[in-house]
Amino acid sequence: MRLLRFNLGTRQLAAMLILGLVALSPVLLYAVERLNFRPGFNLFSPDQDVEMGRKASAEVNSNLPLLQDAQVEGYVSSLGKKLAAIAPNQSGGVKYAWTFKVVNSSEINAFALPGGFIYVNRGAIEAAQDEAQIAGVLAHEEGHVVMRHGTHQASEMMLAQAPLSLLAGVLGQSSSLASQLVQLGLSFGVNSILLRNSRSAESQADEVGTYILYRAGYDPHAMAQFFGIIQKKYPQRTIQFFSDHPNPGNRIRNVDEEVPRLGPRKDWKEDSPEFQAVNQKLQHMPPAPKPKPQK
Ligand SMILES: [Zn+2]
């Protein structure tokens, strides 16, 4: 050791460090490659995701009963932001909005608008048994945001429906992007194309969600387990969720295969007193209003 310390100059140390990194990089690249954290085909820029999401969230906020409770909102928002900070694919100056709202509905549902506007139903928080499960729901939705599934869907629809000249016009004028998309038949409400995910988008959101859970120190199996539990236990209250987030099949098996690739097993966190306090508070609130028929 002593010899080593005296004989290695700064230059040799730097060379060793570079060699080490070069040797390591295929491993890192391989892991990211295998995890497929690349968004699909998209006609929009990430900034346009945020613009579109903002427009859509204004629509959603005036149509859904939002729960106004500082403790519940504060909890979901701080958990959501903590997880969003470690979500992949946010380099290159992308600034997602990362806002979190709780909908006062007993349906077990959650959805994400492009650009980072995430909604979680009260029913989902009440159905979760521990913090890791609700963290899994948030992480899955964040997966849809960073993989840009909403505008990917919109892009595919536009490509299929709109003449190319129209597309060029729409994309050239970002200020009136939203209104022009409406002209193309894209709606922004709760039944928007922006919320309908394909099975492959679901698999990718699962992969990202599991990865975020692992990096945040939660049991990375919690997301898939929770989706399995609610589908079996509450079939009537999860219809919308599984319509917007179709089960890709083999969800639990896929996650079981992904987890060992993320790194060594840790002492995973599962719950917190803050989650239990919020869960209890919601269960003792007056029942959620009956949903009004959707337009
Ligand atoms: Zn989903």
Side-chain angles (χ1 to χ4, degrees):
M1 273 315 286
R2 205 156 183 212
L3 250 180
L4 205 66
R5 206 183 306 149
F6 281 115
N7 287 343
L8 282 179
T10 322
R11 222 178 266 176
Q12 283 99 324
L13 272 174
M16 277 180 71
L17 191 67
I18 288 165
L19 274 175
L21 285 176
V22 169
L24 202 63
S25 61
V27 179
L28 295 174
L29 285 175
Y30 177 71
V32 172
E33 184 81 14
R34 286 282 303 273
L35 290 167
N36 186 28
F37 291 158
R38 267 179 312 209
F41 162 72
N42 207 309
L43 290 167
F44 303 92
S45 69
D47 287 340
Q48 286 175 316
D49 278 29
V50 178
E51 183 195 341
M52 214 183 293
R54 202 174 297 286
K55 160 99 180 157
S57 77
E59 184 99 357
V60 168
N61 293 348
S62 61
N63 278 296
L64 290 182
L66 299 178
L67 192 95
Q68 315 281 354
D69 180 281
Q71 184 188 359
V72 177
E73 274 184 288
Y75 170 76
V76 171
S77 184
S78 86
L79 178 60
K81 283 181 179 163
K82 185 179 86 179
L83 300 168
I86 48 178
N89 205 48
Q90 296 183 86
S91 54
V94 186
K95 282 267 176 296
Y96 290 122
W98 300 126
T99 63
F100 298 84
K101 294 207 184 297
V102 180
V103 183
N104 193 11
S105 164
S106 59
E107 299 294 305
I108 299 170
N109 197 12
F111 62 91
L113 295 167
F117 301 84
I118 292 178
Y119 294 80
V120 186
N121 280 12
R122 167 186 173 180
I125 306 171
E126 286 183 55
Q129 296 155 319
D130 56 36
E131 181 165 283
Q133 291 184 352
I134 205 67
V137 173
L138 292 169
H140 174 95
E141 297 304 332
E142 291 171 358
H144 284 306
V145 172
V146 295
M147 293 296 116
R148 310 184 56 216
H149 290 147
T151 49
H152 167 71
Q153 289 290 112
S155 299
E156 296 221 309
M157 193 188 100
M158 288 170 74
L159 201 63
Q161 291 186 0
L164 281 174
S165 55
L166 188 56
L167 281 182
V170 166
L171 297 171
Q173 301 173 33
S174 67
S175 60
S176 57
L177 176 71
S179 61
Q180 300 211 26
L181 287 171
V182 172
Q183 286 171 23
L184 288 175
L186 272 175
S187 76
F188 286 92
V190 284
N191 288 320
S192 167
I193 175 89
L194 301 172
L195 300 178
R196 259 171 260 144
N197 293 300
S198 63
R199 280 172 208 280
S200 66
E202 275 310 295
S203 286
Q204 201 178 36
D206 278 357
E207 281 191 34
V208 175
T210 301
Y211 165 85
I212 294 174
L213 283 183
Y214 178 85
R215 284 200 60 200
Y218 290 101
D219 179 354
H221 303 93
M223 176 206 67
Q225 281 168 355
F226 182 60
F227 292 164
I229 293 169
I230 57 173
Q231 192 165 25
K232 276 207 196 83
K233 202 167 162 189
Y234 310 103
Q236 291 308 313
R237 288 168 59 200
T238 51
I239 292 170
Q240 191 63 45
F241 182 81
F242 288 107
S243 152
D244 289 341
H245 304 268
N247 191 331
N250 303 322
R251 182 166 245 155
I252 290 186
R253 202 187 68 198
N254 293 345
V255 167
D256 286 346
E257 284 172 7
E258 178 184 348
V259 171
R261 289 197 266 131
L262 296 171
R265 200 197 144 88
K266 301 179 194 170
D267 198 5
W268 288 318
K269 179 177 170 166
E270 279 167 4
D271 206 5
S272 75
E274 291 78 17
F275 169 78
Q276 290 302 332
V278 161
N279 179 284
Q280 285 301 311
K281 187 171 194 182
L282 290 174
Q283 297 202 29
H284 290 95
M285 274 184 192
K290 289 264 173 284
K292 51 178 183 178
Q294 286 174 5
K295 282 177 264 176

